[in-house]
Amino acid sequence: MVAITEADCTGCDLCIPHCPFEALLPLTENPVERKHKKRPVVVVASQCVGCLSCIGSCPTKALHEILMPPLSTQSPLLLETEDPETATVQRWGKKGLGWA
Ligand code: SF4
Ligand code: SF4
């Protein structure tokens, strides 16, 4: 599975198109205590399958792998609360210019 260290995420959005499962999405609002001006991207745990396609896409290394416990049957991210409020992202159509 992957997680994002929010303090290291600048909100550049570069990782978003690297997820084929649309599990990387921007928050709708920037948390008040945040030092960066732009809202962060988060991992939507219910959509992340742990494929690690995104892992090298972050220039600030905010994206990192978290290991699943050996006997776990669900993502450790799902032990937290509900999915956060995330914004919709415009994506290239698969029949258009190709997957971005
Ligand atoms: S690990 Fe795979 S499914 Fe999860 S956010 Fe990264 S690219 Fe998407
Ligand atoms: S690439 Fe890294 S810094 Fe940019 S939005 Fe994604 S997690 Fe945040």
Side-chain angles (χ1 to χ4, degrees):
M1 307 303 303
V2 297
I4 292 176
T5 304
E6 187 183 300
D8 295 336
C9 175
T10 61
C12 69
D13 297 351
L14 284 174
C15 57
I16 291 176
H18 287 269
C19 178
F21 300 95
E22 302 186 7
L24 297 172
L25 291 171
L27 285 183
T28 50
E29 292 182 11
N30 204 12
V32 285
E33 71 281 1
R34 191 168 145 78
K35 66 176 181 180
H36 296 291
K37 288 183 183 165
K38 200 172 175 195
R39 84 287 176 273
V41 167
V42 293
V43 181
V44 179
S46 58
Q47 290 174 223
C48 175
V49 300
C51 67
L52 303 184
S53 296
C54 59
I55 203 76
S57 64
C58 177
T60 66
K61 296 187 169 46
L63 259 173
H64 57 274
E65 183 178 4
I66 55 172
L67 296 179
M68 293 273 286
L71 299 178
S72 176
T73 56
Q74 70 174 25
S75 163
L77 298 175
L78 287 173
L79 296 178
E80 295 179 8
T81 53
E82 302 167 359
D83 286 344
E85 291 279 325
T86 51
T88 306
V89 172
Q90 295 292 330
R91 299 173 193 272
W92 297 106
K94 289 178 183 171
K95 292 182 181 174
L97 296 174
W99 183 259

